[in-house]
Amino acid sequence: MSTKSLILDYDFASGKTCEHDSDQSAKEFMLLGGSGVYTSMRTVNSGRRVFLFDDHLQRLSNSHHQVLGGTLEPQYWRTLLMPLLKHGLSSVRGESKITVLVGRESLRVQFVALHGPSSASCWVRFVSGHREDPEAKNLKWVHEREALEQLIVAPVNEVVLVSWSSRQFYEGLSSNFFAVRRTGKDGGFRGYELVSAPLDSVLLGTIMKLVLDICQRDGIAVVFEPAVELEQWTGAFVTSTSRLVLPVERIVYGEHEQHVDADNPLVMHLKRSVEHLTTEKSELIIDDQNH
């Protein structure tokens, strides 16, 4: 695909779909998307499968209900999206980021080349702020976070929202954030515990949910105590559709900087575990004959 992205527009009233190429990035696509809700998915296995597809359908159903008052079940969105995804992914090559926007009159889907992190670890910057109504993926948030995104300048990869007064952390602008503390009980990754923001204070991202499922599977303790305690943290990472699990090596907090171990055993275990599940937890959209 020579242009930046492919966009499919589906009109609810007529049931018709229009297709066009675009120079819009995923960010521009959302900023120009008007009001409504969104979700962002990714492909795996050379663009043939969509990772955590059922989770995204549930997210779309929940957000549509909370923001637009809809009563449509995930199966409705599956039936609507599947032919659009098949067509779009048959027209592109390689891995794609798929952004779905839903308004009152139409649904729009963008396919753009997926660009993962440029390095194996990253810096994050803590900034005062809190997301209203974090349980829904409301396009309003895309506009509200735009000013804070100006603070993302290399080597900073993400801005994490915190409360200066309570010294609690919430989430990234487009990610979830976790810290790691040593417990001293065992060697290896089981000698650490995961520190998370309370689930009712952040958007439960699809990769965040998978990380928590892995912790339950592997007997890893998770504490929902989001106090910013840099001196106690031995590791940290952010999770999102494009990043999966991206280790943090440095946290910028006000005028201070704190180094954390990007190779922390628990961070590495969770990173590898998520990567190993990409095929098992993905759904085949197009087979080899159609790609």
Side-chain angles (χ1 to χ4, degrees), residues 41-100:
M41 303 178 274
R42 66 171 290 156
T43 63
V44 295
N45 295 101
S46 301
R48 297 185 300 117
R49 309 178 72 95
V50 170
F51 192 35
L52 300 173
F53 186 43
D54 282 336
D55 288 347
H56 284 288
L57 294 173
Q58 187 65 61
R59 163 71 47 69
L60 198 58
S61 178
N62 293 346
S63 295
H64 189 256
H65 172 70
Q66 293 169 25
V67 177
L68 298 175
T71 58
L72 301 170
E73 296 295 325
Q75 183 59 44
Y76 169 86
W77 298 109
R78 169 182 285 276
T79 302
L80 179 58
L81 281 171
M82 188 60 79
L84 300 177
L85 295 182
K86 286 180 179 290
H87 177 77
L89 293 178
S90 297
S91 304
V92 300
R93 291 292 179 268
E95 305 296 5
S96 296
K97 180 176 182 179
I98 305 167
T99 304
V100 180

Side-chain angles (χ1 to χ4, degrees), residues 98-161:
I98 305 167
T99 304
V100 180
L101 311 183
V102 180
R104 296 192 181 278
E105 299 179 354
S106 66
L107 175 146
R108 310 187 72 208
V109 187
Q110 182 199 47
F111 304 84
V112 65
L114 177 68
H115 299 293
S118 58
S119 61
S121 60
C122 72
W123 291 31
V124 298
R125 181 183 296 277
F126 282 10
V127 174
S128 178
H130 188 215
R131 178 176 181 169
E132 293 184 11
D133 192 21
E135 296 180 357
K137 298 203 79 169
N138 193 331
L139 278 169
K140 182 176 69 171
W141 170 241
V142 176
H143 294 272
E144 291 173 350
R145 73 187 185 192
E146 188 179 10
L148 291 174
E149 287 178 331
Q150 305 304 313
L151 300 175
I152 302 177
V153 179
V156 172
N157 177 273
E158 178 64 304
V159 165
V160 175
L161 302 176

Side-chain angles (χ1 to χ4, degrees), residues 149-194:
E149 287 178 331
Q150 305 304 313
L151 300 175
I152 302 177
V153 179
V156 172
N157 177 273
E158 178 64 304
V159 165
V160 175
L161 302 176
V162 301
S163 167
W164 292 121
S165 58
S166 64
R167 288 181 59 85
Q168 292 187 336
F169 69 83
Y170 297 109
E171 60 192 319
L173 300 183
S174 62
S175 70
N176 292 109
F177 175 83
F178 293 92
V180 171
R181 292 192 305 220
R182 185 163 185 83
T183 61
K185 294 180 180 178
D186 301 292
F189 70 84
R190 288 191 173 86
Y192 299 86
E193 63 184 5
L194 197 62

Side-chain angles (χ1 to χ4, degrees), residues 26-39:
K27 177 181 176 180
E28 291 167 339
F29 179 65
M30 289 191 291
L31 285 172
L32 296 173
S35 61
V37 299
Y38 70 98
T39 193

Side-chain angles (χ1 to χ4, degrees), residues 8 11 47 74 118 122 138 147 154 164 186 198 203-204 224 235 251 261 287:
L8 303 179
D11 181 73
S118 58
C122 72
N138 193 331
W164 292 121
D186 301 292
L203 177 76
L204 177 60
F224 298 95
I251 299 169
D261 182 10
D287 57 33

